[in-house]
Amino acid sequence: MRLTDHEREILSGSEGEAARLAMQILVDLGEIYGAGEMLPVSQAHIDMTLYMVDAGVEFVERLAELGGRFAVPTQLNPSAIDFRRCRELRVPAELEEKSRRLERAYLKMGAVPTWTCAPYQQGMIPGFGEQIAWGESNAIAFANSVIGARTNRYADLVDVCAGIIGRVPRFGLHLSENRRAEALVVLEGFTSEMFASSAVYPLLGYLFGEIAADRVTALAGMPESVTIDDLKAFSAAAASSGAVGLFHLVGITPEAPSLEACFRGGAPEPVVVTPRMVAEAEERLSDSTVEHPDLVALGCPHFSADEFAALNELLQGRPVDESIACWVFTSRAVYAQIERRGLLARLQSAGVAVFSDGCPLQYPVKSWDFRAAMSNSAKFANYCYSQTGLSVVYGSLRECVETAVSGRVSREAGLWRRN
Ligand code: F3S
């Protein structure tokens, strides 16, 4: 790689051992991908924020001890725990201790403690064309596709190095030539009633990810009425069933004003997605036949203030059944917003538990005796069994609420579902 004088100095240790190590990792990565040079990024979003293995904690602590400091604004994905409600979440002492070690190391290096996987809905939201270094697959897909910012799907800890150096190797989705669509998906047979249901977008994302795999793929037929929260759910699902880093929604996302613009020429033969395929995807995602789940898990990715308002409206003041836990995960910023508006108190008095900082897939499994969960998130449903051992039912937010209130799985017939 061609490095500038300053980059070469960092590599020889002029800015300390942490910067030298981070630069070496980035240069090695660039050489693997054939990058000719580095390019500056304006911010980083770190994915390695929840405790998984000791090596992750030790790596971050080592960088912090060696004097590592983030050179660009750097924010954090969720922790494994809610730092402020450890007792309520029954967090074991060892998990709390390791999570707090990660917290201390990141804060020492100057990270912003956002602890959210929906960083595009608050605070440091990048702009169109901005070069960034983000981890967390749903956030990457959203930033690239919906905002038009530019990041690769950075692996855990590479994002930390990018934050310390403020630069990344120039390759992949940072470059215009790699953002051209390679495959096309077309929606056919969907009615306006189907598109009016927010439950369709996670399922479309899940199917889209399976088809797209790691290709930049365009999708035609998405309605203009699609909301930011729908696109969040779509991005999360697509990036969990496929290695999706960038998609184009024709006529909706900023780099896709037309099919022609997506492909910079003629489009290939499309893969058609129909309501029947959505029904089949939903069946694949629901592996539970349990009638009485123990947990309704919402907020994967983290709930927005609008989603909390919708939840409150659907609950209509009814209490959650005693047989079931209804948990919602969100960011500290949204938690504070709904607290100020009085929404949090209303939800809590109905028996809804709201957690910030954490992730529903990382709850302390051994501290709870859950057997089956229900969620409106296709990403949660996709990973639920492998991460937690729980079987899962996918359903709309309305169905999740009715299930929480009755303690019994509530499903509605119609729309794309086969009766
Ligand atoms: Fe966020 Fe955890 Fe889901 S990090 S996207 S809530 S799996």
Side-chain angles (χ1 to χ4, degrees):
M1 282 179 76
R2 290 180 305 281
L3 299 182
T4 63
D5 289 347
H6 181 50
E7 288 162 353
R8 235 178 282 115
E9 282 164 22
I10 296 174
L11 201 53
S12 63
S14 67
E15 296 196 0
E17 181 57 15
R20 190 202 64 74
L21 188 59
M23 182 62 113
Q24 185 64 63
I25 290 169
L26 294 172
V27 168
D28 288 349
L29 180 75
E31 278 169 1
I32 290 168
Y33 283 95
E37 57 194 3
M38 307 286 278
L39 66 78
V41 289
S42 58
Q43 58 162 280
H45 178 85
I46 293 178
D47 190 33
M48 226 307 290
T49 45
L50 49 87
Y51 170 71
M52 284 188 156
V53 289
D54 285 351
V57 182
E58 287 163 14
F59 181 80
V60 178
E61 282 182 333
R62 182 154 167 72
L63 287 173
E65 280 159 16
L66 291 171
R69 291 285 303 171
F70 292 117
V72 290
T74 296
Q75 52 186 331
L76 302 175
N77 215 44
S79 170
I81 68 172
D82 180 336
F83 287 106
R84 300 176 300 184
R85 276 164 288 272
C86 284
R87 195 166 302 165
E88 198 184 332
L89 198 53
R90 302 182 193 165
V91 176
E94 190 190 352
L95 177 60
E96 181 178 351
E97 193 256 326
K98 289 186 170 159
S99 302
R100 290 197 185 279
R101 278 173 57 191
L102 273 170
E103 179 190 35
R104 273 195 298 276
Y106 282 129
L107 296 191
K108 188 173 176 191
M109 290 196 284
V112 185
T114 47
W115 304 113
T116 186
C117 49
Y120 41 80
Q121 289 193 306
Q122 60 171 71
M124 291 159 36
I125 303 170
F128 179 78
E130 201 168 321
Q131 300 284 4
I132 60 175
W134 277 18
E136 168 55 48
S137 64
N138 99 82
I140 293 161
F142 190 99
N144 269 322
S145 316
V146 181
I147 298 175
R150 297 184 173 200
T151 177
N152 285 316
R153 269 181 75 122
Y154 283 109
D156 281 4
L157 301 174
V158 171
D159 44 18
V160 180
C161 298
I164 289 175
I165 300 299
R167 287 170 176 267
V168 291
R170 194 170 179 278
F171 75 101
L173 295 175
H174 289 290
L175 305 177
S176 299
E177 60 264 34
N178 297 327
R179 298 176 70 86
R180 188 170 60 84
E182 304 164 88
L184 175 63
V185 173
V186 173
L187 303 183
E188 272 182 23
F190 289 85
T191 63
S192 51
E193 287 78 25
M194 291 175 187
F195 284 136
S197 167
S198 60
V200 79
Y201 299 99
L203 297 172
L204 288 175
Y206 178 70
L207 273 171
F208 179 86
E210 286 185 324
I211 297 164
D214 61 353
R215 296 172 299 174
V216 178
T217 300
L219 183 144
M222 189 68 102
E224 283 180 14
S225 57
V226 66
T227 68
I228 290 295
D229 285 320
D230 295 333
L231 293 173
K232 171 171 73 174
F234 179 94
S235 301
S240 76
S241 60
V244 172
L246 166 64
F247 58 81
H248 297 299
L249 303 182
V250 182
I252 294 175
T253 53
E255 290 168 73
S258 63
L259 261 188
E260 172 98 334
C262 296
F263 290 94
R264 301 177 202 163
E269 272 301 296
V271 177
V272 173
V273 167
T274 63
R276 171 178 283 271
M277 291 164 75
V278 167
E280 287 164 0
E282 186 171 31
E283 284 165 19
R284 284 204 301 284
L285 277 174
S286 296
D287 63 7
S288 180
T289 51
V290 170
E291 267 185 54
H292 299 275
D294 323 279
L295 172 66
V296 167
L298 306 171
C300 173
H302 278 175
F303 243 36
S304 66
D306 284 350
E307 289 174 305
F308 275 110
L311 171 63
N312 184 53
E313 209 172 303
L314 288 166
L315 264 174
Q316 295 175 324
R318 294 171 297 165
V320 170
D321 191 75
E322 283 179 0
S323 66
I324 194 165
C326 181
W327 288 355
V328 193
F329 286 75
T330 192
S331 64
R332 288 184 182 187
V334 170
Y335 190 98
Q337 263 181 50
I338 62 166
E339 191 169 27
R340 269 199 309 277
R341 285 192 209 166
L343 205 49
L344 179 66
R346 285 203 288 284
L347 292 169
Q348 286 174 332
S349 70
V352 176
V354 181
F355 296 106
S356 64
D357 310 345
C359 161
L361 282 173
Q362 301 298 327
Y363 80 90
V365 172
K366 289 190 185 142
S367 305
W368 300 85
D369 198 19
F370 296 141
R371 287 171 308 126
M374 183 163 186
S375 181
N376 68 338
S377 163
K379 176 172 180 176
F380 179 92
N382 191 19
Y383 290 154
C384 185
Y385 183 74
S386 63
Q387 297 269 318
T388 69
L390 302 184
S391 63
V392 68
V393 182
Y394 173 84
S396 66
L397 182 59
R398 179 192 304 280
E399 290 166 335
C400 288
V401 167
E402 293 310 315
T403 299
V405 167
S406 67
R408 188 189 188 97
V409 169
S410 167
R411 305 294 300 271
E412 292 165 359
L415 294 179
W416 53 87
R417 285 184 186 152
R418 293 177 282 197
N419 299 321

